[in-house]
Amino acid sequence: ESKLLGIIQLGMNFKNTIKASKLMESKHLFITGNQPEKTEGFIAKFIKTKKYNLDELSKYFIVYVTEGDSYSFNGE
């Protein structure tokens, strides 16, 4: 979760991620941009970040978070 100036949401938070994924009946979840706390430079002064609880998300979905993770559709 990232917020500009602590108020304008730039990415989905934990609850919205679960809600949207369940709505789409997703079983697999690819997380991108999962280290916003590593943002550096001028913009970092204005962005407040909070990490996902990957252990909690793993209770609902198969979570892909590591570079190089892949999924094969229909066993292809």
Side-chain angles (χ1 to χ4, degrees):
E1 178 178 354
S2 300
K3 290 185 177 183
L4 181 63
L5 304 173
I7 53 173
I8 301 170
Q9 192 158 335
L10 301 175
M12 244 190 252
N13 63 22
F14 181 79
K15 288 181 182 179
N16 287 340
T17 298
I18 291 174
K19 185 178 178 180
S21 297
K22 284 185 174 183
L23 181 68
M24 295 184 294
E25 299 179 4
S26 299
K27 294 182 178 121
H28 300 266
L29 182 64
F30 276 83
I31 299 177
T32 60
N34 61 339
Q35 295 180 332
E37 71 280 0
K38 289 189 175 183
T39 302
E40 296 179 356
F42 182 72
I43 193 72
K45 296 177 186 340
F46 302 100
I47 295 179
K48 180 181 177 185
T49 62
K50 187 174 166 184
K51 289 183 108 178
Y52 273 109
N53 183 338
L54 296 176
D55 292 332
E56 189 67 24
L57 280 175
S58 295
K59 292 178 183 177
Y60 301 95
F61 313 101
I62 298 170
V63 179
Y64 302 88
V65 67
T66 307
E67 182 179 340
D69 281 349
S70 63
Y71 175 76
S72 180
F73 291 91
N74 300 321
E76 296 176 14

